[in-house]
Amino acid sequence: MTRLDSFIRRMTAQRDILDHVCTEVAKMEGPVVELGLGNGRTFHHLRERLPGRRIVAFDRALAAHASSIPEAENLVLGEIRETASRFIGIDAALVHADIGTGYEDRDAVTSTWLPDLIARLLRVGGIAVSGTPLDHPQLQRLPPPPSVPADRYFICRRV
Ligand code: SAM
């Protein structure tokens, strides 16, 4: 598989999973947390799928397309490990984390702090979606939609 094939599969999985969880998140109270705003494509998708919902987006620096920039009060810049920890207790209905790098060693470091941070940002019953694994006693793994290959993307419920 080429990197282009792999990219297309990743984007398709991301879209299918976000659509899948948004049906449930739409019925749940609580903001959405977007960890890794990047170009803002998934932020834009979530904003369309969950109209009117507060979405707080985090990144090191703003690099999003002009059409996909959150309101100033919902954009938090800096290292996610520090900035998002200030939002612990926000009782998010959904946390979407797209901060994987494709480098095993770097993603392994992220996996040492991200699952616990996500568990603390979510309300009980809330959903986490991540490109990197979320091993944590309070995050129960859910099956992905049928179109998504196993171990490509991870969905969990906060228990
Ligand atoms: N979901 C986005 C989209 O659809 O456009 C793409 C996100 S991109 C793959 C990952 C982003 O996460 C990058 O913009 C990067 O700066 C940010 N990021 C990764 N690790 C981070 C960290 N530890 N703290 C802050 N930002 C981080």
Side-chain angles (χ1 to χ4, degrees), residues 1-153:
M1 191 190 309
T2 67
R3 287 185 57 222
L4 178 61
D5 292 328
S6 172
F7 179 75
I8 290 167
R9 283 179 57 162
R10 191 163 70 82
M11 294 300 100
T12 304
Q14 202 172 44
R15 193 265 327 273
D16 289 354
I17 287 183
L18 292 180
D19 285 348
H20 178 71
V21 301
C22 277
T23 311
E24 188 173 344
V25 171
K27 298 177 203 148
M28 214 186 288
E29 281 185 25
V32 170
V33 170
E34 172 81 331
L35 299 178
L37 176 65
N39 183 275
R41 291 187 185 98
T42 51
F43 168 79
H44 188 269
H45 197 75
L46 289 167
R47 200 174 55 181
E48 293 294 309
R49 293 290 183 270
L50 299 167
R53 188 71 61 114
R54 182 182 181 203
I55 306 177
V56 189
F58 296 77
D59 209 304
R60 288 196 176 98
L62 179 59
H65 185 270
S67 65
S68 309
I69 298 177
E71 314 78 18
E73 65 273 22
N74 290 328
L75 174 64
V76 186
L77 300 181
E79 279 300 308
I80 284 168
R81 190 175 181 180
E82 283 94 50
T83 54
S85 64
R86 288 185 232 131
F87 287 74
I88 285 171
I90 191 173
D91 279 342
L94 171 66
V95 176
H96 174 231
D98 186 16
I99 60 172
T101 62
Y103 293 99
E104 252 177 54
D105 53 341
R106 293 185 208 171
D107 291 348
V109 174
T110 300
S111 293
T112 62
W113 54 267
L114 184 65
D116 190 59
L117 175 64
I118 289 180
R120 289 163 184 260
L121 291 170
L122 281 170
R123 59 175 285 167
V124 171
I127 307 281
V129 172
S130 174
T132 52
L134 295 176
D135 296 322
H136 190 278
Q138 288 178 312
L139 297 175
Q140 183 183 67
R141 186 98 182 255
L142 300 175
S147 61
V148 176
D151 291 341
R152 177 151 297 268
Y153 238 81

